[in-house]
Amino acid sequence: DNNRNLLAAQIQDVDDLKIFEMCKQHSSNRKLISSYCYPLLYHRMNYENDKSSVIIPETKRVYPTWYLTGGKFSDGGTLQGRITCKKPSAQTFPAIVKKAIRSNERVIVGFDLSQIELRVASILSGDETLLRSYTQGLDLHADRAKQIFGKKEVTKDERQVGKCINFADLFRAGADTMQTTVMGMTGQHKEVGFFKEIVWSRKKHRPGLWNWQENVINNCKQHGKFQLPFFGQSRFFRGGEKYEVSEMVNFPVQTTASNVLLTIQNEIVKEIKHDRIKQFAIMLNIYDAIYFECEIQALEKLQKLFSKVITKVEHELYWNWICSHYGR
């Protein structure tokens, strides 16, 4: 994929470029068939006896397996402090598969936490640029692009690069990884030196985030683990293939972000049970989003409930605890 994208960026002839676009589409379609369609319709690809992800014909439903944290990674657990969904892997369903999900008598409604990882990182690190972007309602991705390109105004394509770099900053991605990500997501080819400069200047452009990450890394190396406040989730870093800087700085951000959603979900479940609401029910949790099956006439009621719970989590519960704990 990376080589094809790199070659396509160099080609000027429109007809030649179409061949690369067709190859890319073919690769995407093969992935869709082998990872999602085949397991949902027949069995896991190359494992004829494994029908754990197959849609049940009588009900036209599928029931994923939920793995709590703390299990072996190979057994379906997750190294991050969050639950994970497999058989089928609904958390990684591409848009075209999500679009195929239907409810017999209800509508499906999704609530998504906007830029939750970047918001969490701003709270944990206290990085002034990140905090200012959110408290003042600025365009975080455009601002990062302006830093990178040294311009007062940036194009839409440049903003897309800024978006990729913002997430790369969170997990200390290297130059090669950023080059591949930007190429894959935006189709833009930049020389690796361009990304090396970004890596070199992170300390200057994101000083609060950088210093916080350094503290996390030193903590992990000194104690062999990192532990979060309140719920006490922890992860060991004692060598081996997962003893990576990106994993160290990843853990507190992703786990805290997941905790925000789980707190919201828990409060919604309590409200539904308390008021004996039958008009909607949670059908799927996907890390930073919750999906409901909802009767059409109850949509406004669901929206009001979600707004009420968000406010409670923000001002009284987990999000408030985090802000108070870090003084931001």
Side-chain angles (χ1 to χ4, degrees), residues 202-319:
R202 268 183 191 148
K203 189 175 182 178
K204 179 179 70 173
H205 288 156
R206 291 275 188 262
L209 181 63
W210 178 272
N211 290 331
W212 173 78
Q213 289 174 335
E214 287 295 293
N215 287 332
V216 170
I217 293 163
N218 291 333
N219 188 300
C220 291
K221 289 182 176 179
Q222 182 179 351
H223 301 289
K225 74 170 187 174
F226 191 88
Q227 183 169 326
L228 290 171
F230 307 119
F231 298 154
Q233 293 137 308
S234 63
R235 177 175 164 187
F236 290 107
F237 294 95
R238 293 180 174 171
E241 62 177 307
K242 287 298 180 181
Y243 193 65
E244 299 282 347
V245 165
S246 60
E247 295 283 335
M248 294 173 187
V249 297
N250 187 355
F251 172 73
V253 172
Q254 284 204 343
T255 305
T256 301
S258 178
N259 285 346
V260 176
L261 186 84
L262 289 175
T263 308
I264 293 168
Q265 178 176 303
N266 185 50
E267 290 301 308
I268 286 176
V269 169
K270 288 197 289 188
E271 292 276 349
I272 290 173
K273 286 184 176 179
H274 179 266
D275 294 336
R276 298 183 180 179
I277 301 172
K278 306 290 185 183
Q279 295 168 299
F280 45 79
I282 295 174
M283 62 161 280
L284 191 61
N285 166 316
I286 304 184
Y287 176 44
D288 62 353
I290 307 177
Y291 291 86
F292 295 81
E293 282 187 303
C294 180
E295 293 179 5
I296 293 178
Q297 64 269 26
L299 279 173
E300 188 176 346
K301 186 176 183 179
L302 174 58
Q303 287 176 315
K304 286 180 178 178
L305 172 60
F306 207 89
S307 180
K308 173 186 173 183
V309 168
I310 283 279
T311 302
K312 185 175 181 180
V313 173
E314 181 184 358
H315 295 287
E316 299 176 33
L317 300 176
Y318 186 67
W319 188 257

Side-chain angles (χ1 to χ4, degrees), residues 17-44:
L17 194 57
K18 283 181 180 178
I19 296 172
F20 281 87
E21 290 172 353
M22 290 168 67
C23 289
K24 184 175 182 179
Q25 187 63 55
H26 177 265
S27 176
S28 176
N29 290 347
R30 290 301 308 168
K31 170 73 174 175
L32 181 67
I33 291 169
S34 63
S35 297
Y36 301 104
C37 297
Y38 220 89
L40 284 168
L41 295 172
Y42 305 110
H43 53 76
R44 277 182 64 199

Side-chain angles (χ1 to χ4, degrees), residues 31-150:
K31 170 73 174 175
L32 181 67
I33 291 169
S34 63
S35 297
Y36 301 104
C37 297
Y38 220 89
L40 284 168
L41 295 172
Y42 305 110
H43 53 76
R44 277 182 64 199
M45 208 72 167
N46 303 324
Y47 296 93
E48 291 187 14
N49 295 324
D50 187 347
K51 300 185 179 184
S52 55
S53 299
V54 172
I55 298 168
I56 300 169
E58 293 79 13
T59 62
K60 294 183 172 59
R61 286 180 177 265
V62 62
Y63 298 89
T65 301
W66 292 93
Y67 293 93
L68 299 179
T69 57
K72 293 180 181 178
F73 189 73
S74 58
D75 291 339
T78 172
L79 290 175
Q80 303 303 337
R82 52 190 168 102
I83 30 181
T84 187
C85 169
K86 295 193 176 185
K87 301 179 182 180
S89 300
Q91 292 188 165
T92 58
F93 276 171
I96 194 169
V97 176
K98 286 182 185 176
K99 204 172 179 181
I101 300 174
R102 294 284 186 274
S103 175
N104 289 337
E105 300 172 354
R106 301 181 174 194
V107 293
I108 294 172
V109 187
F111 292 88
D112 185 284
L113 294 177
S114 173
Q115 295 185 4
I116 186 61
E117 289 179 342
L118 286 164
R119 293 177 191 274
V120 164
S122 71
I123 296 295
L124 300 186
S125 70
D127 186 271
E128 290 185 8
T129 307
L130 289 173
L131 286 170
R132 186 168 59 249
S133 291
Y134 288 118
T135 56
Q136 296 181 13
L138 305 176
D139 187 333
L140 185 65
H141 301 323
D143 286 348
R144 190 69 175 106
K146 290 173 186 177
Q147 282 183 326
I148 295 166
F149 294 101

Side-chain angles (χ1 to χ4, degrees), residues 2 164-165 167-168 171-185 192 195 199 202 246:
N2 295 339
C164 291
I165 301 307
F167 286 101
F171 308 123
R172 288 277 183 102
D176 291 340
T177 300
M178 283 192 287
Q179 186 187 45
T180 299
T181 303
V182 168
M183 172 69 77
M185 292 184 66
V192 72
F195 297 101
V199 172
R202 268 183 191 148
S246 60

